[in-house]
């Protein structure tokens, strides 16, 4: 599978296009099912439960292994913990509209 084109249009619902997502796969932003990242999620859960939370996590690996999906799963867990009653954290994240979630992306280089 190859990454989608950098010129992929935005979703009609208003969410930005995932130009670096795997073609045919759901966006990591709205994917709840996480496959193959059990060790990473267990490490995060252990740190979260112990109260020894790190200031950053580095997710690395080849394309398509679930790094972005794991990052969004972690964001959901953190943001749900501080959500106000009635707040739909999942819907806000899926729409790229949660006020406490900043998504940083590498820039697109058309020549590479």
């Amino acid at each position: 599978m190859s990454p989608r084109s950098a010129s992929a249009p935005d979703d009609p619902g208003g969410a930005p296009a995932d130009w670096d997502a795997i073609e045919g796969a759901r966006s990591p932003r709205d994917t709840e099912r996480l496959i193959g990242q059990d060790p990473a999620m267990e490490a995060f859960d252990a740190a979260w439960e112990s109260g020894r939370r790190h200031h950053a996590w580095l997710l690395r690996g080849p394309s398509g292994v679930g790094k972005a999906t794991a990052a969004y799963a972690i964001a959901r867990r953190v943001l749900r913990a501080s959500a106000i009653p009635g707040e739909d954290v999942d819907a806000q994240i899926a729409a790229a509209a949660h006020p406490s979630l900043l998504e940083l992306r590498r820039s697109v280089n058309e020549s590479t």
Side-chain angles (χ1 to χ4, degrees), residues 48-72:
W48 182 262
E49 294 299 322
S50 73
R52 297 176 59 218
R53 299 173 187 141
H54 303 282
H55 70 282
W57 287 80
L58 177 62
L59 304 175
R60 63 185 193 100
S63 178
V65 298
K67 298 178 299 289
T69 305
Y72 280 109

Side-chain angles (χ1 to χ4, degrees), residues 79-103:
L79 295 172
R80 283 176 186 159
S82 62
I84 58 173
E87 182 179 24
D88 191 348
V89 170
D90 294 353
Q92 289 176 323
I93 290 174
H98 196 286
S100 296
L101 180 62
L102 174 64
E103 180 180 316

